[in-house]
Amino acid sequence: MNKLSYGKTFWNSFVGGMLTGMGNGSVFGAALMCALGRGRFDDWGGWGSLAYNPSTFDGFVNWCMILFGVAFWLIVQVALKRHGELERSAA
């Protein structure tokens, strides 16, 4: 029996994956800011709903962080599924 079922690992993998992935996304945003400045973004967009508008610089970086977080969470889910299969086959 797979002890690492989806229901047992969802919240741990979601929190860990999102925090790690969004941290990587923030590093990507910082590197982008260092390399380009604001580039072609007319507005910084750090207030209210503009913070999540992808046409503003802050919104673009925030969406990159969210996408990195979701991608890393999915990677963690695949890794836990495969690890559970290995445990099940070894038992």
Side-chain angles (χ1 to χ4, degrees):
M1 178 177 183
N2 185 357
K3 293 181 181 178
L4 293 175
S5 67
Y6 180 75
K8 291 180 180 178
T9 61
F10 176 79
W11 285 111
N12 288 334
S13 66
F14 182 75
V15 171
M18 287 298 287
L19 286 174
T20 305
M22 289 181 80
N24 292 339
S26 70
V27 172
F28 173 78
L32 182 71
M33 186 171 53
C34 289
L36 301 176
R38 273 189 12 204
R40 295 185 180 181
F41 294 100
D42 293 332
D43 190 7
W44 173 68
W47 301 102
S49 64
L50 285 176
Y52 297 99
N53 182 351
S55 66
T56 65
F57 180 77
D58 190 39
F60 176 74
V61 171
N62 284 338
W63 276 104
C64 286
M65 287 172 40
I66 291 168
L67 290 174
F68 274 62
V70 169
F72 199 83
W73 170 59
L74 292 173
I75 290 168
V76 169
Q77 282 294 325
V78 169
L80 287 174
K81 181 180 179 213
R82 290 185 181 172
H83 181 73
E85 291 170 356
L86 286 172
E87 279 190 349
R88 184 179 54 218
S89 66

